[in-house]
């Protein structure tokens, strides 16, 4: 059975669906506070932050779904911005610690009874941020490797 699909079709379509779902989740958390530029921000700043990510995820997803050249470009733009965002989060340790304390509010005793302290949570979040950024760059590398997929539709 022959197909005229380019290699990467399933991967890019699946990723497109997941990115569009991520865009929806960003909009659901539009009022959630975030650690950004050395402070915990809420309100309009958090709303703009979540809207920017929702737009990036939706645009990248649509660009991949339709195999557009601009979708190819958005993969790298989104990867770069996500990397910078996580870098500023990890480097702002005091803000990240304050953010974690605020999120753990009311659960300290349960966490301590399980032997989980703030340092362990902090290390897990930093490690998770590093792993996710590496995954983004791995996907960007895969996208570059399969760049011919995005030349199907000229636009």
């Amino acid at each position: 059975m022959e197909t005229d699909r380019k290699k990467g079709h399933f991967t890019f379509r699946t990723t497109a669906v997941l990115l569009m779902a991520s865009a929806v989740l960003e909009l659901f958390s539009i009022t959630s506070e975030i650690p950004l530029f050395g402070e915990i921000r809420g309100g309009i700043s958090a709303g703009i932050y979540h809207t920017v990510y929702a737009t990036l995820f939706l645009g990248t997803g649509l660009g991949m779904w339709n195999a557009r050249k601009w979708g190819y470009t958005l993969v790298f733009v989104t990867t770069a911005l996500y990397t910078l965002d996580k870098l500023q989060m990890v480097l702002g340790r005091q803000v990240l610690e304050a953010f974690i304390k605020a999120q753990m509010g009311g659960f300290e005793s349960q966490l301590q009874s399980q032997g989980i302290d703030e340092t362990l949570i902090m290390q897990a979040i930093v490690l998770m941020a590093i792993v996710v950024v590496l995954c983004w760059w791995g996907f960007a590398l895969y996208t570059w490797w399969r760049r011919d997929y995005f030349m199907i539709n000229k636009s």
Side-chain angles (χ1 to χ4, degrees):
M1 181 172 164
E2 290 215 19
T3 180
D4 59 345
R5 291 183 179 169
K6 294 229 182 212
K7 288 191 175 199
H9 178 82
F10 177 78
T11 301
F12 289 119
R13 284 282 176 105
T14 303
T15 303
V17 169
L18 294 173
L19 280 169
M20 288 186 270
S22 294
V24 171
L25 291 175
E26 280 294 329
L27 292 176
F28 280 137
S29 62
I30 201 159
T31 59
S32 298
E33 292 182 330
I34 48 158
L36 184 64
F37 302 128
E39 292 182 27
I40 297 174
R41 300 189 190 268
I44 293 174
S45 297
I48 291 170
Y49 174 92
H50 291 295
T51 302
V52 166
Y53 269 111
T55 303
L56 281 171
F57 293 159
L58 180 63
T60 306
L62 289 172
M64 283 195 294
W65 183 268
N66 295 309
R68 302 288 187 203
K69 286 182 182 180
W70 54 264
Y72 173 81
T73 302
L74 270 179
V75 168
F76 298 99
V77 169
T78 304
T79 300
L81 287 175
Y82 191 85
T83 301
L84 291 173
D85 179 38
K86 293 307 168 200
L87 183 64
Q88 68 82 29
M89 181 191 78
V90 168
L91 293 177
R93 287 288 240 239
Q94 293 83 6
V95 175
L96 186 56
E97 287 174 10
F99 183 73
I100 291 168
K101 282 182 184 180
Q103 299 300 313
M104 289 183 356
F107 296 102
E108 293 91 353
S109 61
Q110 290 94 339
L111 292 170
Q112 287 175 351
S113 70
Q114 298 296 318
I116 301 171
D117 64 354
E118 291 173 22
T119 304
L120 183 61
I121 294 171
M122 188 72 168
Q123 290 171 345
I125 289 174
V126 169
L127 180 61
M128 180 186 68
I130 291 168
V131 168
V132 171
V133 165
L134 289 175
C135 289
W136 269 98
W137 281 105
F139 183 74
L141 179 62
Y142 176 79
T143 301
W144 175 80
W145 185 42
R146 293 283 186 222
R147 62 191 173 273
D148 59 322
Y149 171 81
F150 294 92
M151 305 310 158
I152 296 169
N153 299 318
K154 307 286 188 219
S155 63

